[in-house]
Amino acid sequence: MCMATAICFARACRCGPTELDTAASAPSLGAGHNAAPMLFVFSGAGLSAESGVPTFRTAGGLWTRHNLDRVCNMLTWKENREAVFEFYTGRRQEAAAVQPNDAHVRLAAWQARWGTERVRLLTQNVDDLLERAGAQEVVHLHGDLAHLLCTACGHRWLVDDEAYQAHTRCARCDSLKGVKPGVVFFHETAPQYIHLGRMTRSIRSQDILLVVGSALEVVGVEQLMPRHRWGDSHNWQVNPEPVDTEYFGRVLAQTASVGLRELEPELVSRMETRLD
């Protein structure tokens, strides 16, 4: 995973039964089989790696140089508070120093073209490169680097400073030791997973599921699509090293920028076909 794609989280620590149950009871996103197609984009580290954002899990990634149990573990982070704030300040500074790449810009343009109701952007990344590229609505499944979170009262707020400040207190309850970076740690609940469950439950036959730059290690393919969608022609994957290819109808062994550019003509045709 990548700083921009914060995969500093274990699959088992993500979405618990309560969140999945809630997602299962959520209303459908689409209006039915005759409605216009929707595009669901699930992105991982490879999306932002092209911009120069360091990855977490690949060879030479951040987890080969840092102890994740020291800086990304909900059970121990308070014991290493200074190290935690220093580590994520580094990730904020890295993200601020790079620019959105062509893949970020293309995804943002698709959302602008067809609207946020039809183009849903779900990312494991914790950077803001999609937003800086112009995306209007992004679900950060693993939190983000833009906020601080008070674990004592649940208050979450935007941070303007370049660096996280370990002495920052919660404006709501005045807690100091309960304040942490807004990235989801191991063994921490990931509330945004409700959107993932809702997508899996609601995706229809005409909808497109596009997986970009994810090794599908933290979120497995079974969490992305219902069984009846396995191997469907509307499941697309863009990844320099594709994984679980039997679940996808179209697989491009390309970088995100190259792959999305290649897919665009077919995507436009599908998204702008009227289903009456």
Side-chain angles (χ1 to χ4, degrees):
M1 145 178 139
C2 132
M3 154 260 148
T5 79
I7 292 182
C8 52
F9 326 106
R11 182 180 303 173
C13 303
R14 291 299 176 193
C15 190
T18 300
E19 293 171 58
L20 289 175
D21 291 344
T22 302
S25 63
S28 296
L29 294 172
H33 292 287
N34 292 326
M38 295 177 65
L39 171 64
F40 295 95
V41 180
F42 177 82
S43 60
L47 177 63
S48 292
E50 287 186 64
S51 292
V53 174
T55 63
F56 280 86
R57 292 177 178 266
T58 56
L62 289 166
W63 291 150
T64 67
R65 294 178 278 122
H66 298 271
N67 185 340
L68 66 86
D69 281 328
R70 189 164 185 246
V71 298
C72 195
N73 190 329
M74 197 63 178
L75 304 179
T76 60
W77 75 274
K78 289 184 180 180
E79 302 168 13
N80 308 296
R81 210 164 167 277
E82 292 291 337
V84 167
F85 275 76
E86 180 180 352
F87 177 78
Y88 287 103
T89 287
R91 309 293 73 76
R92 280 174 61 88
Q93 292 170 342
E94 287 168 348
V98 301
Q99 297 299 319
N101 60 55
D102 287 347
H104 293 114
V105 173
R106 200 171 297 273
L107 290 173
W110 291 347
Q111 191 175 68
R113 180 171 185 168
W114 295 304
T116 58
E117 288 303 308
R118 291 185 63 201
V119 178
R120 304 295 176 91
L121 303 179
L122 291 82
T123 186
Q124 296 175 103
N125 299 348
V126 294
D127 61 64
D128 64 348
L129 293 178
L130 277 168
E131 288 89 345
R132 285 162 57 191
Q136 301 165 41
E137 189 173 301
V138 182
V139 174
H140 287 272
L141 295 169
H142 298 161
D144 61 59
L145 292 164
H147 292 81
L148 283 172
L149 172 69
C150 178
T151 59
C153 72
H155 182 48
R156 184 180 178 88
W157 66 98
L158 191 66
V159 179
D160 294 326
D161 296 335
E162 179 178 328
Y164 280 131
Q165 304 297 332
H167 60 265
T168 303
R169 290 182 176 274
C170 175
R172 178 183 293 173
C173 72
D174 200 42
S175 173
L176 174 64
K177 293 185 178 181
V179 174
K180 65 178 284 291
V183 173
V184 178
F185 291 175
F186 282 107
H187 306 291
E188 181 179 7
T189 299
Q192 294 302 309
Y193 267 51
I194 189 173
H195 295 280
L196 187 62
R198 186 176 291 132
M199 178 193 78
T200 302
R201 173 180 176 268
S202 302
I203 195 166
R204 305 158 304 168
S205 60
Q206 69 267 37
D207 296 333
I208 298 165
L209 173 61
L210 173 57
V211 176
V212 183
S214 175
L216 298 177
E217 293 180 353
V218 176
V219 176
V221 68
E222 299 89 349
Q223 291 175 273
L224 288 179
M225 62 183 82
R227 182 177 293 270
H228 68 80
R229 284 279 303 217
W230 292 2
D232 193 281
S233 63
H234 292 74
N235 299 338
W236 300 350
Q237 181 183 169
V238 175
N239 197 336
E241 297 181 5
V243 297
D244 297 327
T245 55
E246 66 273 18
Y247 292 92
F248 295 86
R250 185 165 185 186
V251 177
L252 297 182
Q254 304 279 6
T255 62
S257 292
V258 173
L260 296 191
R261 183 170 65 247
E262 186 173 330
L263 285 173
E264 188 166 56
E266 182 177 354
L267 177 66
V268 171
S269 176
R270 290 177 182 255
M271 291 292 285
E272 298 189 352
T273 297
R274 295 182 61 86
L275 298 176
D276 297 322

